[in-house]
Amino acid sequence: MMHWKGFSVNYSGWRRRWFYPLISVVVALSVSLTAPLPGRAIDLLPLLFQGVQVFQLSNISARQEVDLGKQINQQILSSQVRLYDNPEINRYVEQIGQRLVRYSDRPNLPYTFQVVDNNAVNAFATLGGYVYVHTGLLKTADNEAELASVIAHEIGHIGGKHLVNQMRQKAIASGVATAAGLDRNTAVGIGVELALNRPRSRQDEFDADRRGLRTLIRTGYAPSGMVSFMQKLLKGGSGPAFLSTHPATSDRISALKRSINNQSNYGSYGLDGNAYRANIRSLARS
Ligand code: ZN
């Protein structure tokens, strides 16, 4: 176990979890090398560890970021986050996400959109393209533009590398970063903690809104969807989770309205509420 500031990671537990996929990679490698000796897989392990074990969060490559995002994903899915098993809904969210990615700040990153089985009105992103949307949020949105605005906002967090920077700050504050960087276990542990109990900064939220709104507009969605969704959360009180993890909502609404007024020629896609309800039909039934 390693500990810092009230946070602990079950070191051996998670090590086991990512160790198995790694072994299968090694086995696949060995198979492709034709007729490997029995001990070969073990010999390859140290080689695989080199280059991936220490991260410089201040200068992380896209490849390392995706790798960290994947490790964090495996960790949170094996503990606190349960995915929603509904191919139709997953495909729908994935489609909207990929459409937005093309017009985002980091279109070349591989993105993974997942639906979380949770009635809280919430969504979050980690790093390396991993975006999570709760079923509660899908139910609360009234049209596709509103849903797309949240996904675009989360893509904006990845565009701004907000979690990467938070992880770096946390590592420095906790004194776990060395001159060489941060070892992979520690980086994943910090990432998981921040992903689940993320103290979102006001500055990051405004930045994600700015990036998200730009992406939403470029994609052709009605930018009003972003405003109406946030207003709904403020008025209805239906989104305590989203509001608590996304501070300063009324200020954000004002800022959005100002930026929307300053631009012109918007698309109007995604405002058809009936089409949206048809798309999430299987969600409403369950
Ligand atoms: Zn946010």
Side-chain angles (χ1 to χ4, degrees), residues 56-60 65 126-127 157-173 190 194 198 201 203-204 207 211:
Q56 283 285 2
L57 289 174
S58 55
N59 189 27
I60 191 171
E65 199 188 319
T126 60
L127 73 170
H157 277 303
I158 290 171
K161 297 193 179 181
H162 296 154
L163 186 66
V164 176
N165 291 329
Q166 278 195 327
M167 284 169 65
R168 190 167 53 88
Q169 284 159 15
K170 174 104 188 173
I172 293 167
I190 292 175
L194 289 172
R198 186 154 165 200
S201 83
Q203 193 191 330
D204 285 356
D207 188 46
R211 293 169 185 271

Side-chain angles (χ1 to χ4, degrees), residues 200-218:
R200 286 168 174 81
S201 83
R202 193 185 156 90
Q203 193 191 330
D204 285 356
E205 292 317 309
F206 278 100
D207 188 46
D209 282 349
R210 255 189 316 270
R211 293 169 185 271
L213 180 65
R214 195 164 58 209
T215 297
L216 197 68
I217 289 171
R218 282 183 191 154

Side-chain angles (χ1 to χ4, degrees), residues 246-264:
H246 289 77
T249 306
S250 47
D251 289 350
R252 289 168 61 200
I253 292 173
S254 312
L256 282 173
K257 282 181 170 168
R258 274 197 305 276
S259 359
I260 291 173
N261 285 338
N262 293 337
Q263 298 174 46
S264 56

